[in-house]
Amino acid sequence: MQVEAIYDQGRIELTQPLHLRHPRVRVLVEVADEEVVAPTAPSTLAPEVLALAEQMRARLDAVRNAPLPPDDELPPVTAKARERIKAFSTRPDR
């Protein structure tokens, strides 16, 4: 079924009343191409800034993807670390 509606600052208003079975209904909205403003182009960064960002990304990826050391090579857990672990375990889940 096609119905006419008006888009008004983030809200879609039907031009005629329509009684639906459910309070929430998924709809498909078709907007004429000439009514859509093309998104603005992202700012262009200098090549040296892009190169620096890529270096930082590579360093972060290396840290993220580094294998964890075996358990027997880990340093012992300190008393302060145990306190922090206990404190995090008492926090409510989000």
Side-chain angles (χ1 to χ4, degrees):
M1 169 182 222
Q2 288 187 337
V3 295
E4 187 177 354
I6 298 173
Y7 175 86
D8 183 18
Q9 297 181 8
R11 296 186 61 174
I12 294 178
E13 301 172 2
L14 300 175
T15 57
Q16 295 180 348
L18 185 64
H19 299 286
L20 301 171
R21 288 186 186 184
H22 303 286
R24 288 178 54 114
V25 177
R26 183 179 291 266
V27 297
L28 178 64
V29 178
E30 186 174 324
V31 179
D33 291 342
E34 61 272 7
E35 294 296 333
V36 178
V37 178
T40 57
S43 61
T44 306
L45 297 174
E48 56 271 6
V49 173
L50 292 173
L52 180 60
E54 189 55 41
Q55 289 174 358
M56 292 174 70
R57 183 188 325 220
R59 287 176 49 202
L60 285 171
D61 286 342
V63 170
R64 282 189 203 108
N65 298 326
L68 295 174
D71 287 346
D72 58 344
E73 292 181 18
L74 293 173
V77 179
T78 64
K80 188 171 189 173
R82 287 185 199 280
E83 286 179 25
R84 290 181 178 171
I85 292 169
K86 184 178 178 183
F88 276 102
S89 68
T90 60
R91 290 184 177 182
D93 290 336
R94 291 186 181 184

